[in-house]
Coordinates of all heavy atoms in Angstrom, one line a residue:
Chain B
A418 N 101.7 131.4 113.2 CA 102.2 130.1 113.1 C 101.2 129.0 112.6 O 101.6 127.9 112.1 CB 102.7 129.6 114.5
L419 N 99.9 129.4 112.6 CA 98.9 128.4 112.3 C 99.0 127.6 111.0 O 99.0 126.4 110.9 CB 97.5 129.0 112.4 CG 96.4 128.0 112.4 CD1 96.5 126.9 113.5 CD2 95.0 128.7 112.5
P420 N 99.3 128.4 109.8 CA 99.4 127.6 108.6 C 100.6 126.7 108.6 O 100.5 125.5 108.1 CB 99.6 128.8 107.6 CG 99.1 130.0 108.2 CD 99.3 129.8 109.7
A421 N 101.7 127.1 109.1 CA 102.9 126.2 109.2 C 102.7 125.1 110.1 O 103.1 124.0 109.8 CB 104.2 127.0 109.6
Y422 N 102.0 125.4 111.2 CA 101.8 124.3 112.2 C 100.8 123.2 111.6 O 100.9 122.1 111.9 CB 101.3 124.9 113.5 CG 101.2 123.7 114.6 CD1 102.4 123.2 115.0 CD2 100.0 123.4 115.1 CE1 102.3 122.1 116.0 CE2 99.9 122.3 116.0 CZ 101.1 121.7 116.5 OH 101.1 120.7 117.4
S423 N 99.8 123.7 110.8 CA 98.9 122.7 110.2 C 99.7 121.8 109.3 O 99.3 120.6 109.3 CB 97.8 123.4 109.5 OG 98.3 123.9 108.3
N424 N 100.7 122.2 108.7 CA 101.5 121.4 107.9 C 102.2 120.4 108.8 O 102.3 119.2 108.5 CB 102.6 122.2 107.2 CG 102.4 122.4 105.7 OD1 101.5 121.7 105.2 ND2 103.0 123.3 105.1
E425 N 102.7 120.8 109.9 CA 103.4 120.0 110.8 C 102.5 118.9 111.3 O 102.9 117.7 111.5 CB 104.0 120.8 112.0 CG 104.6 120.0 113.1 CD 105.7 119.0 112.7 OE1 106.3 119.3 111.6 OE2 106.0 118.1 113.4
I426 N 101.2 119.2 111.6 CA 100.3 118.2 112.0 C 100.1 117.1 111.0 O 100.2 115.9 111.3 CB 98.9 118.8 112.3 CG1 99.0 119.8 113.4 CG2 97.8 117.7 112.6 CD1 97.6 120.5 113.7
I427 N 100.0 117.5 109.7 CA 99.8 116.5 108.6 C 101.1 115.7 108.4 O 101.1 114.5 108.2 CB 99.4 117.3 107.3 CG1 98.0 117.8 107.6 CG2 99.4 116.3 106.2 CD1 97.5 118.8 106.5
F428 N 102.3 116.4 108.5 CA 103.5 115.6 108.4 C 103.7 114.5 109.5 O 104.1 113.5 109.3 CB 104.7 116.6 108.5 CG 105.0 117.3 107.2 CD1 105.5 118.7 107.3 CD2 104.7 116.8 106.0 CE1 105.7 119.4 106.1 CE2 104.9 117.5 104.8 CZ 105.4 118.8 104.9
M429 N 103.2 114.9 110.7 CA 103.3 114.0 111.8 C 102.4 112.8 111.6 O 102.8 111.7 111.8 CB 102.8 114.7 113.1 CG 103.2 114.0 114.3 SD 104.9 113.8 114.6 CE 105.1 112.1 114.3
L430 N 101.2 113.1 111.1 CA 100.3 112.0 110.7 C 101.0 111.0 109.7 O 100.9 109.8 109.9 CB 99.0 112.5 110.1 CG 98.1 111.5 109.5 CD1 97.5 110.6 110.6 CD2 96.9 112.2 108.7
H431 N 101.6 111.6 108.7 CA 102.2 110.7 107.7 C 103.4 110.1 108.3 O 103.7 108.9 107.9 CB 102.5 111.6 106.4 CG 101.2 112.1 105.8 ND1 101.2 113.0 104.8 CD2 99.9 111.8 106.1 CE1 99.9 113.2 104.4 NE2 99.1 112.5 105.2
G432 N 104.2 110.8 109.0 CA 105.4 110.2 109.6 C 105.0 109.1 110.6 O 105.9 108.1 110.7
S433 N 103.9 109.1 111.1 CA 103.5 108.0 112.1 C 103.4 106.7 111.4 O 103.4 105.6 112.0 CB 102.2 108.3 112.8 OG 101.1 108.1 111.9
A434 N 103.4 106.6 110.1 CA 103.4 105.4 109.3 C 104.6 104.6 109.7 O 104.6 103.3 109.6 CB 103.3 105.6 107.8
L435 N 105.7 105.2 110.1 CA 107.0 104.5 110.4 C 106.7 103.6 111.6 O 107.5 102.7 111.8 CB 108.1 105.6 110.7 CG 108.6 106.3 109.4 CD1 109.5 107.3 109.8 CD2 109.1 105.3 108.5
A436 N 105.7 103.9 112.5 CA 105.6 103.1 113.7 C 105.4 101.6 113.3 O 105.7 100.8 114.1 CB 104.3 103.6 114.4
S437 N 104.9 101.4 112.0 CA 104.6 100.0 111.7 C 105.9 99.2 111.6 O 105.9 98.0 111.7 CB 103.9 100.0 110.3 OG 104.7 100.4 109.3
V438 N 107.1 100.0 111.4 CA 108.3 99.2 111.4 C 108.7 98.6 112.7 O 109.4 97.5 112.7 CB 109.5 100.2 110.9 CG1 110.8 99.6 110.8 CG2 109.1 100.8 109.6
I439 N 108.3 99.2 113.8 CA 108.7 98.6 115.1 C 107.5 97.9 115.7 O 107.1 98.1 116.8 CB 109.3 99.6 116.0 CG1 108.4 100.9 116.2 CG2 110.6 100.1 115.6 CD1 108.8 101.8 117.4
T440 N 106.8 97.1 114.9 CA 105.8 96.1 115.3 C 104.4 96.7 115.8 O 103.5 96.0 116.1 CB 106.2 95.2 116.5 OG1 106.3 96.0 117.7 CG2 107.6 94.6 116.3
I441 N 104.3 98.1 115.7 CA 103.0 98.6 116.0 C 102.0 98.5 114.9 O 102.4 98.7 113.7 CB 103.1 100.1 116.4 CG1 104.0 100.2 117.6 CG2 101.8 100.8 116.6 CD1 104.4 101.7 118.0
V442 N 100.8 98.1 115.2 CA 99.8 97.9 114.1 C 99.0 99.2 114.0 O 98.0 99.4 114.6 CB 98.9 96.7 114.4 CG1 97.8 96.6 113.3 CG2 99.6 95.5 114.6
D443 N 99.6 100.2 113.2 CA 98.8 101.4 112.9 C 98.2 101.2 111.5 O 98.1 100.0 111.1 CB 99.8 102.6 112.9 CG 100.8 102.6 111.8 OD1 101.1 101.4 111.3 OD2 101.3 103.6 111.3
I444 N 97.7 102.2 110.9 CA 97.0 102.0 109.6 C 97.9 101.3 108.6 O 97.6 100.3 107.9 CB 96.5 103.3 109.0 CG1 95.5 103.9 110.0 CG2 95.9 103.1 107.6 CD1 95.0 105.3 109.6
T445 N 99.2 101.8 108.5 CA 100.2 101.2 107.6 C 100.5 99.7 108.1 O 100.6 98.8 107.2 CB 101.4 102.0 107.6 OG1 101.1 103.3 107.3 CG2 102.4 101.5 106.5
G446 N 100.6 99.5 109.3 CA 100.8 98.2 109.9 C 99.7 97.2 109.5 O 100.0 96.1 109.1
A447 N 98.5 97.7 109.6 CA 97.4 96.9 109.2 C 97.4 96.5 107.7 O 97.2 95.4 107.3 CB 96.1 97.7 109.5
A448 N 97.8 97.5 106.9 CA 97.9 97.3 105.4 C 99.0 96.3 105.2 O 98.9 95.4 104.3 CB 98.3 98.6 104.7
R449 N 100.1 96.3 105.9 CA 101.2 95.3 105.7 C 100.7 93.9 106.1 O 101.1 93.0 105.5 CB 102.4 95.7 106.5 CG 103.0 97.0 106.0 CD 104.1 97.5 106.8 NE 105.4 96.8 106.5 CZ 106.5 97.2 106.9 NH1 106.7 98.3 107.7 NH2 107.6 96.5 106.7
I450 N 99.9 93.8 107.2 CA 99.4 92.5 107.6 C 98.5 91.9 106.5 O 98.7 90.8 106.0 CB 98.6 92.6 108.9 CG1 99.6 92.9 110.1 CG2 97.8 91.3 109.1 CD1 98.9 93.1 111.4
I451 N 97.6 92.8 106.0 CA 96.7 92.3 104.9 C 97.5 92.0 103.6 O 97.2 91.0 103.0 CB 95.6 93.4 104.6 CG1 94.8 93.7 105.9 CG2 94.7 93.0 103.5 CD1 94.1 92.5 106.4
N452 N 98.4 92.8 103.3 CA 99.2 92.6 102.1 C 99.9 91.2 102.2 O 100.0 90.4 101.3 CB 100.3 93.7 101.9 CG 101.3 93.4 100.9 OD1 100.9 92.7 99.9 ND2 102.5 93.8 101.1
S453 N 100.5 91.0 103.5 CA 101.3 89.8 103.6 C 100.5 88.5 103.7 O 100.9 87.5 103.3 CB 102.2 89.9 104.9 OG 101.4 89.9 106.0
R454 N 99.2 88.7 104.1 CA 98.3 87.6 104.1 C 97.7 87.2 102.8 O 97.6 86.0 102.5 CB 97.2 87.8 105.1 CG 96.6 86.5 105.7 CD 95.6 86.8 106.8 NE 96.2 87.4 108.0 CZ 95.5 88.1 108.9 NH1 94.2 88.3 108.8 NH2 96.2 88.5 110.0
F455 N 97.5 88.2 101.9 CA 96.8 87.9 100.7 C 97.7 88.3 99.4 O 97.2 88.1 98.3 CB 95.5 88.7 100.6 CG 94.5 88.3 101.7 CD1 94.4 89.1 102.8 CD2 93.8 87.2 101.7 CE1 93.6 88.8 103.9 CE2 93.0 86.9 102.7 CZ 92.8 87.7 103.8
Y456 N 98.8 88.8 99.7 CA 99.7 89.2 98.6 C 99.0 90.1 97.6 O 99.1 90.0 96.4 CB 100.3 88.0 97.8 CG 101.0 87.0 98.8 CD1 100.4 85.9 99.1 CD2 102.2 87.4 99.4 CE1 101.0 85.0 100.1 CE2 102.8 86.6 100.3 CZ 102.2 85.4 100.6 OH 102.8 84.6 101.5
S457 N 98.2 91.0 98.1 CA 97.5 92.0 97.3 C 97.9 93.4 97.7 O 97.1 94.1 98.4 CB 96.0 91.8 97.4 OG 95.7 90.5 97.1
P458 N 99.0 93.9 97.3 CA 99.5 95.2 97.8 C 98.6 96.3 97.4 O 98.4 97.3 98.1 CB 100.9 95.4 97.2 CG 101.0 94.3 96.2 CD 100.1 93.2 96.5
Y459 N 98.0 96.2 96.2 CA 97.2 97.3 95.7 C 96.0 97.6 96.7 O 95.9 98.7 97.2 CB 96.8 97.1 94.3 CG 96.0 98.3 93.7 CD1 96.7 99.5 93.3 CD2 94.6 98.3 93.7 CE1 96.0 100.6 92.9 CE2 93.9 99.5 93.3 CZ 94.6 100.6 92.9 OH 93.9 101.7 92.5
E460 N 95.2 96.6 96.8 CA 94.0 96.7 97.7 C 94.4 97.1 99.1 O 93.8 98.0 99.7 CB 93.2 95.4 97.8 CG 92.5 95.1 96.5 CD 93.4 94.2 95.6 OE1 94.7 94.3 95.7 OE2 92.8 93.4 94.8
A461 N 95.5 96.5 99.6 CA 95.9 96.8 101.0 C 96.3 98.2 101.2 O 95.9 98.9 102.2 CB 97.0 95.8 101.4
F462 N 97.1 98.7 100.3 CA 97.7 100.1 100.5 C 96.8 101.1 100.1 O 96.8 102.3 100.6 CB 99.1 100.1 100.0 CG 100.1 99.4 100.7 CD1 100.6 98.2 100.2 CD2 100.4 99.7 102.0 CE1 101.6 97.4 100.9 CE2 101.3 98.9 102.7 CZ 101.9 97.8 102.2
I463 N 95.9 100.9 99.1 CA 95.0 101.9 98.6 C 94.0 102.2 99.8 O 93.6 103.3 100.0 CB 94.3 101.6 97.3 CG1 93.7 102.9 96.7 CG2 93.2 100.6 97.5 CD1 94.7 103.8 96.0
T464 N 93.6 101.1 100.5 CA 92.7 101.3 101.7 C 93.4 102.1 102.7 O 92.8 103.1 103.3 CB 92.4 99.9 102.2 OG1 91.9 99.1 101.2 CG2 91.3 100.0 103.3
A465 N 94.7 101.9 103.0 CA 95.4 102.7 104.0 C 95.5 104.2 103.5 O 95.2 105.1 104.3 CB 96.8 102.1 104.1
A466 N 95.7 104.3 102.2 CA 95.8 105.7 101.7 C 94.4 106.4 101.9 O 94.5 107.6 102.3 CB 96.1 105.6 100.2
L467 N 93.3 105.7 101.7 CA 92.1 106.4 101.8 C 91.8 106.8 103.3 O 91.3 107.8 103.6 CB 90.9 105.4 101.4 CG 90.8 105.2 99.9 CD1 89.8 104.2 99.5 CD2 90.5 106.6 99.2
F468 N 92.2 105.9 104.3 CA 92.2 106.2 105.6 C 92.9 107.5 105.9 O 92.4 108.4 106.6 CB 92.7 105.1 106.5 CG 91.6 104.1 106.9 CD1 91.5 102.9 106.2 CD2 90.8 104.3 108.0 CE1 90.5 102.0 106.5 CE2 89.8 103.4 108.3 CZ 89.7 102.2 107.6
Y469 N 94.2 107.6 105.5 CA 95.0 108.7 105.7 C 94.4 110.0 105.1 O 94.4 111.1 105.7 CB 96.4 108.5 105.2 CG 97.3 107.7 106.1 CD1 97.7 106.4 105.6 CD2 97.6 108.1 107.3 CE1 98.5 105.6 106.4 CE2 98.4 107.3 108.2 CZ 98.9 106.0 107.7 OH 99.6 105.2 108.4
M470 N 93.8 109.9 103.9 CA 93.2 111.0 103.3 C 92.0 111.5 104.1 O 91.8 112.7 104.2 CB 92.8 110.6 101.9 CG 93.9 110.8 100.9 SD 93.6 110.0 99.3 CE 92.4 111.1 98.6
A471 N 91.3 110.6 104.6 CA 90.1 111.0 105.4 C 90.5 111.8 106.6 O 89.9 112.7 107.0 CB 89.2 109.8 105.8
I472 N 91.6 111.3 107.3 CA 92.0 111.9 108.5 C 92.6 113.3 108.1 O 92.3 114.3 108.8 CB 93.1 111.1 109.2 CG1 92.6 109.7 109.6 CG2 93.6 111.8 110.5 CD1 93.7 108.9 110.1
T473 N 93.4 113.4 107.1 CA 93.9 114.7 106.6 C 92.8 115.7 106.3 O 92.9 116.8 106.7 CB 94.8 114.5 105.4 OG1 95.8 113.5 105.6 CG2 95.5 115.8 105.0
F474 N 91.8 115.2 105.7 CA 90.6 116.0 105.3 C 90.0 116.6 106.6 O 89.7 117.8 106.7 CB 89.6 115.2 104.6 CG 88.5 116.0 104.0 CD1 88.7 116.7 102.8 CD2 87.3 116.1 104.6 CE1 87.6 117.4 102.3 CE2 86.2 116.8 104.1 CZ 86.4 117.5 102.9
T475 N 89.8 115.7 107.6 CA 89.2 116.2 108.8 C 90.2 117.3 109.5 O 89.7 118.3 110.0 CB 89.1 115.0 109.8 OG1 88.6 113.9 109.1 CG2 88.1 115.3 110.9
I476 N 91.5 117.0 109.5 CA 92.4 118.0 110.1 C 92.3 119.3 109.4 O 92.1 120.4 110.0 CB 93.9 117.4 110.0 CG1 94.0 116.2 110.9 CG2 94.8 118.5 110.4 CD1 95.3 115.6 110.7
V477 N 92.3 119.3 108.1 CA 92.2 120.5 107.3 C 91.0 121.2 107.6 O 90.9 122.5 107.7 CB 92.3 120.2 105.8 CG1 92.1 121.4 104.9 CG2 93.8 119.7 105.4
F478 N 89.9 120.5 107.7 CA 88.6 121.1 108.0 C 88.6 121.9 109.4 O 88.2 123.1 109.5 CB 87.5 120.1 108.1 CG 86.1 120.5 108.5 CD1 85.3 121.2 107.6 CD2 85.7 120.4 109.8 CE1 84.1 121.7 108.0 CE2 84.4 120.8 110.2 CZ 83.6 121.5 109.3

Side-chain angles (χ1 to χ4, degrees):
Chain B
L419 190 58
Y422 187 64
S423 73
N424 257 346
E425 173 55 24
I426 295 177
I427 293 171
F428 284 147
M429 193 64 250
L430 169 69
H431 296 171
S433 75
L435 290 175
S437 69
V438 178
I439 55 168
T440 73
I441 295 172
V442 181
D443 66 338
I444 296 174
T445 310
R449 292 174 80 167
I450 288 176
I451 299 302
N452 170 37
S453 67
R454 205 174 290 162
F455 302 98
Y456 307 106
S457 302
Y459 184 77
E460 290 90 333
F462 289 111
I463 198 78
T464 310
L467 289 174
F468 270 98
Y469 282 115
M470 276 165 74
I472 303 175
T473 307
F474 188 81
T475 318
I476 293 172
V477 169
F478 175 79

